[in-house]
Structures are given as C-alpha cells and as structure tokens.
Amino acid sequence: MPNKWTVLITFILLAGAASLAVMVFFKDEPLTEAEARTLVNSQYSGTITALEETRADGEHLFIAELEEKGALYSVSVDADAGKIKELKKIKDVYEKRSLPVTTAEAKEIAEEQYQGKVESLSYDEPEQAYSIRLVAGKDEISLKMDASSGKILSEDRKTIGSNNPKVKLTEEQAIEIARKEAKGEVGDLDLEEEDGRLYYEVEIENGENETTVQVDAFTGTVLSVSVED
C-alpha cells in the first residue's frame, strides 16, 4: 500500500495545481482585440468596419467603428474593465444597395448616346449619380447621369486640344504619357496655355492621392509632376 506521506504530498501538489489553474483562469487580464470585437458584436447588430487599440491618459481602450442602420458609430471599449465605455454617432452614411443602373450600363448608355469613348466614370453616393467624362469627335463631354434611371442630368462640352493647329499630341497620347508617371484613373484633363506654351494637365486619381501631370502638347515632354494627398 502507498505510504501515507506519499498520499498526503500527492494531494497537496494536486490541490496546489488546481488552485493555480483557478487563479490563471480568473486572472484580471485586459481584453484582447478579438475579445473586444466579440463584446461589441454581442451588444450591437451592426458591422464593425474598423477596430484599433489606443492607450492615452492612463486608459487602455479599443475604438471600434460600427455601421448600423445607415449610420456610423464609434464604440469605446474599456479593455481593463472589459465593458463598453461609450457609444456615439459619427455620421449618417449612404446605405449601400444594388443600383438600377450599373457602371457598365452607365458607360454603355453614355457611349451609345454620344457616340464617343468614356475616359473616366465614378459614382457619387450623396447625389446617387454617375460622373462621366467621354471624348466624342472634337468634343470632351462631362456628364452627370442619374443612377436610378440612366437619365442625363447635366452636360458640359468643350473642344479638345487635338484640333488646335499648335498641338501635335492628341489627348489620348497625353494620357498615355501621364500614366507612365502615375497609376490610377484619369479624373480630369485640360489643355492649358502659359507663356505661349500649350500643355495638357492630366489629373490621375489613386485612392486618396491625386497626381497632376503636365505634358507639353507639342513635344510630349513631361513638364511637371505633383502629388496631392
């Protein structure tokens, strides 16, 4: 039979291990990012679009951006206390939905109606309209199109520089040269004149950055490149 001291020592060791396990389980640890996300999801039915950890003024917080019912909220989670500290509305946001007129359909409508080629197309959420720029023959046309019906809301025409006898480069060639300097979508293109020199000013959008490239309209030389954040 086992020695009684052996049994006693074994019992003490097991009791100590169990106590340690209980202490670890109930240890007052700050919330992790995953736990903070779970807490927010358990309290609110919206979608978390961003979550970041901050430490300021002695506070350890997780700040979540939550989109719910067409509005954007900021949710502050106290990582040390393990609870929601504050909920505040940031702004109303556009409730995304499938559009009656898709971008492909908007492009097709514009090109068919104006017999031209779409150079740029973007969707304006607040106005629920497409902004379209296309080239048709001698004209550059800027349109605003209703995204629900495909109806043209506004139109602005101007003669492009490729028909100017002083200009050797076409608009398309200027865009091609500008795109070698910056990647993205062409947002705007103008033919400008300064000190008797004609040049194309091409704006290229890439996320939050906008690059403006000036291209000599006769030689194709890049005159300047500037980036605006």
Side-chain angles (χ1 to χ4, degrees), residues 8-203:
L8 180 60
I9 292 171
T10 302
F11 175 78
I12 292 172
L13 290 174
L14 290 173
S19 299
L20 180 62
V22 170
M23 289 173 64
V24 170
F25 183 78
F26 289 103
K27 186 179 179 182
D28 189 17
E29 293 282 349
L31 293 180
T32 64
E33 181 176 328
E35 290 168 338
R37 184 181 293 273
T38 299
L39 177 61
V40 173
N41 282 330
S42 69
Q43 298 290 322
Y44 306 102
S45 60
T47 301
I48 295 175
T49 58
L51 180 66
E52 64 176 23
E53 185 176 10
T54 66
R55 296 176 187 269
D57 300 327
E59 290 188 308
H60 181 190
L61 303 174
F62 284 98
I63 308 297
E65 283 191 1
L66 182 78
E67 190 173 326
E68 182 178 19
K69 296 180 180 179
L72 191 65
Y73 297 87
S74 174
V75 185
S76 299
V77 179
D78 189 320
D80 295 323
K83 63 181 182 180
I84 304 293
K85 179 183 179 183
E86 182 184 30
L87 170 69
K88 62 181 180 180
K89 184 177 180 180
I90 301 175
K91 63 178 180 178
D92 291 318
V93 295
Y94 173 75
E95 185 175 356
K96 291 180 172 59
R97 58 185 176 82
S98 57
L99 296 169
V101 178
T102 65
T103 54
E105 290 170 337
K107 179 176 182 291
E108 183 178 349
I109 291 170
E111 290 185 337
E112 182 176 341
Q113 185 165 335
Y114 290 90
Q115 295 298 300
K117 180 181 179 183
V118 170
E119 294 292 334
S120 66
L121 185 152
S122 61
Y123 178 64
D124 188 330
E125 287 185 351
E127 293 188 15
Q128 298 185 33
Y130 289 107
S131 296
I132 304 172
R133 186 177 63 82
L134 75 158
V135 175
K138 301 177 181 180
D139 296 333
E140 179 183 87
I141 308 170
S142 296
L143 305 173
K144 188 76 75 173
M145 178 188 294
D146 187 288
S148 298
S149 63
K151 180 181 177 181
I152 303 301
L153 303 175
S154 65
E155 172 188 320
D156 181 49
R157 289 176 178 262
K158 66 179 180 180
T159 302
I160 57 178
S162 56
N163 301 287
N164 191 313
K166 298 180 182 179
V167 173
K168 183 177 180 180
L169 243 61
T170 65
E171 185 180 61
E172 290 77 13
Q173 290 171 325
I175 290 174
E176 184 179 349
I177 292 171
R179 278 182 168 156
K180 293 178 181 178
E181 302 296 328
K183 303 297 182 183
E185 294 293 326
V186 175
D188 197 10
L189 185 147
D190 295 301
L191 181 66
E192 306 285 351
E193 183 174 0
E194 184 176 344
D195 297 330
R197 166 179 270 178
L198 288 169
Y199 62 89
Y200 288 104
E201 188 168 271
V202 186
E203 293 180 0

